[in-house]
Amino acid sequence: MKGEADKLREIREGFVAQWGVMGTQWGINRTMAQIHALLMTGADAMSTDEVMEELAISRGNAHTNLKDLVNWGLVRIVTKKGERKEYFEAEKDVWEIFRRIVEQRKRRELDPALQTVEGCAEETKGMKTKEGKAFHQQMVQLEEFVRFASKMSDRVGSLPHGKAMQLAMKLFG
Amino acid sequence: MKGEADKLREIREGFVAQWGVMGTQWGINRTMAQIHALLMTGADAMSTDEVMEELAISRGNAHTNLKDLVNWGLVRIVTKKGERKEYFEAEKDVWEIFRRIVEQRKRRELDPALQTVEGCAEETKGMKTKEGKAFHQQMVQLEEFVRFASKMSDRVGSLPHGKAMQLAMKLFG
DNA sequence: CTAAAGTTTCACTAAAAACTGAAAAAACAG
DNA sequence: CTGTTTTTTCAGTTTTTAGTGAAACTTTAG
């Protein structure tokens, strides 16, 4: 008969693998998503070596992706007293995870888009031809939208979990 | 002296190129983003050959990405009377573009995630160990969140432009 | 039907991204 | 300091994804 611990390990491995696959579809690399899943579902913080072992990946790969996760604010470094090694621990609160992701994506995707679109809108401001006006108009629309999205991201980031849910539910029924 | 048309062409080319770069960061391939930018900022629908010419890409590439854009609902096929060729025309309304993207991403990213997480929550339902309970709890949290996100996506998709802005502004100031 | 125009597919190539493993650098205990 | 442990970097390799171009297929005009 199979113990509960074995069954859990199996299910967890399945989750980690699946999360990895989904990561690739999200435009995140597989390893990073897998490490995240692993840390998110584990009781204790893990060392680089433990992560390497568990996922059968190289040190370089483990290291880079752990550090990337730290940069995303999804994982933090902890140290155990008397030990020299770094351990990694994931943020587990789902709303907090969401906030961090929104924040980063805003920074990486929205902000650069805004710059581009702003520039194009500015440079076509006074155009007189039909094409020029249409292009300018399109850029203005886009700019407005990106600004809006940007603002929304900021707001989401500043709402605490419960409040957000409440408001959103009121808004959308 | 440089004419307005020339300047516009230059700016537009810049926009198309930039949009392509941003596409890659969004996890969308460069060509697809470029074609989208091209069609979004042009007055008329374009044929496959025109797109090939403008972006200096192969027929296969142009074809595949145009069809992908059609599948995303961001571009539609139009035919000119008396002509046999297919022409492609982009949705230009920014809010409508946003809705389509939300809809597709939900289908491609949220729905599969929900399945995975649901499964893991279900399979660990009755677990008795500390680890088992913790894992289950984490899965339940995730499931709730994904369901919430899913619902929000649907709601966004069903709101008309003006209404959405209004409501959102009220909500977030 | 036949031929021309247009669309789709696909084996192959090119480019980009991810990963490895080992060496270098940094941190630290004694 | 010196030796040991741990972290970081990076040149080279593998894997994955994107793109090419020509052939196959489809559609329609004559």
Side-chain angles (χ1 to χ4, degrees), chain A residues 29 32 61-75 104 108:
Chain A
N29 82 54
M32 186 166 150
N61 193 12
H63 176 77
T64 319
N65 284 293
L66 279 165
K67 285 304 157 87
D68 283 354
L69 282 164
V70 170
N71 283 336
W72 273 77
L74 297 172
V75 163
Q104 293 295 320
R108 292 163 200 233

Side-chain angles (χ1 to χ4, degrees), chain B residues 48 59-60 63 67 84-86:
Chain B
T48 304
R59 179 173 308 283
H63 175 77
K67 285 302 156 91
R84 207 155 137 186
K85 218 182 295 220
E86 290 183 334

Side-chain angles (χ1 to χ4, degrees), chain A residues 90-106:
Chain A
E91 171 60 55
K92 295 198 180 182
D93 181 88
V94 179
W95 183 254
E96 195 55 34
I97 294 171
F98 174 64
R99 286 174 40 159
R100 302 280 168 90
I101 292 174
V102 167
E103 184 188 343
Q104 293 295 320
R105 288 186 88 112
K106 177 192 177 260

Side-chain angles (χ1 to χ4, degrees), chain B residues 67-135:
Chain B
K67 285 302 156 91
D68 283 354
L69 282 165
V70 170
N71 283 336
W72 273 78
L74 297 172
V75 163
R76 50 183 166 272
I77 300 171
V78 296
T79 45
K80 299 189 176 180
K81 62 181 173 186
E83 281 215 56
R84 207 155 137 186
K85 218 182 295 220
E86 290 183 334
Y87 285 79
F88 299 89
E89 180 180 75
E91 172 60 54
K92 295 198 180 181
D93 181 89
V94 178
W95 183 254
E96 193 56 34
I97 293 171
F98 175 64
R99 285 174 41 159
R100 302 279 168 91
I101 291 174
V102 167
E103 183 188 344
Q104 293 295 320
R105 288 186 89 111
K106 176 191 177 260
R107 200 169 59 68
R108 292 163 200 231
E109 292 165 7
L110 257 31
D111 292 352
L114 186 55
Q115 276 219 292
T116 298
V117 162
E118 249 176 8
C120 290
E122 182 61 30
E123 291 188 282
T124 51
K125 206 161 203 167
M127 292 208 164
K128 293 282 184 276
T129 56
K130 190 155 73 66
E131 289 78 19
K133 281 182 176 174
F135 182 92

Side-chain angles (χ1 to χ4, degrees), chain A residues 102 106 110-111 114 140-156 171-172, chain B residues 94-95 98 156 159-173:
Chain A
V102 167
K106 177 192 177 260
L110 257 31
D111 292 352
L114 186 55
V140 169
Q141 298 286 327
L142 233 66
E143 185 184 337
E144 265 175 30
F145 179 78
V146 175
R147 271 189 206 292
F148 171 73
S150 216
K151 182 174 275 182
M152 292 295 273
S153 302
D154 286 341
R155 303 295 169 134
V156 164
L171 172 56
F172 290 113
Chain B
V94 178
W95 183 254
F98 175 64
V156 165
L159 281 176
H161 186 163
K163 209 73 176 176
M165 291 291 186
Q166 239 174 287
L167 274 167
M169 283 309 181
K170 190 150 73 181
L171 171 58
F172 289 111

Side-chain angles (χ1 to χ4, degrees), chain A:
Chain A
M1 178 194 167
K2 200 185 295 178
E4 194 174 287
D6 281 341
K7 192 179 167 205
L8 178 61
R9 196 156 34 71
E10 212 171 81
I11 294 173
R12 187 176 171 212
E13 262 171 37
F15 174 71
V16 169
Q18 274 303 314
W19 208 248
V21 172
M22 289 182 341
T24 62
Q25 284 159 344
W26 259 81
I28 285 167
N29 82 54
R30 195 173 62 256
T31 304
M32 186 166 150
Q34 285 179 343
I35 296 179
H36 185 231
L38 196 63
L39 293 176
M40 205 170 45
T41 56
D44 310 314
M46 293 174 80
S47 67
T48 303
D49 293 77
E50 287 167 336
V51 170
M52 286 167 62
E53 161 102 37
E54 190 75 40
L55 300 177
I57 57 176
S58 72
R59 180 172 306 284
N61 193 12
H63 176 77
T64 319
N65 284 293
L66 279 165
K67 285 304 157 87
D68 283 354
L69 282 164
V70 170
N71 283 336
W72 273 77
L74 297 172
V75 163
R76 50 183 164 271
I77 300 172
V78 295
T79 47
K80 298 188 177 182
K81 61 180 171 187
E83 281 214 55
R84 209 153 135 187
K85 218 182 298 219
E86 288 183 334
Y87 286 78
F88 299 88
E89 181 180 74
E91 171 60 55
K92 295 198 180 182
D93 181 88
V94 179
W95 183 254
E96 195 55 34
I97 294 171
F98 174 64
R99 286 174 40 159
R100 302 280 168 90
I101 292 174
V102 167
E103 184 188 343
Q104 293 295 320
R105 288 186 88 112
K106 177 192 177 260
R107 201 169 60 68
R108 292 163 200 233
E109 292 165 6
L110 257 31
D111 292 352
L114 186 55
Q115 277 218 295
T116 298
V117 161
E118 249 175 8
C120 290
E122 181 60 30
E123 291 188 282
T124 51
K125 205 161 203 168
M127 291 206 165
K128 294 281 183 275
T129 56
K130 189 156 73 67
E131 290 78 20
K133 282 182 175 173
F135 182 92
H136 177 68
Q137 202 42 39
Q138 187 68 28
M139 290 302 115
V140 169
Q141 298 286 327
L142 233 66
E143 185 184 337
E144 265 175 30
F145 179 78
V146 175
R147 271 189 206 292
F148 171 73
S150 216
K151 182 174 275 182
M152 292 295 273
S153 302
D154 286 341
R155 303 295 169 134
V156 164
S158 69
L159 283 175
H161 187 161
K163 209 73 177 180
M165 291 291 186
Q166 238 175 287
L167 273 169
M169 283 309 182
K170 191 151 71 179
L171 172 56
F172 290 113

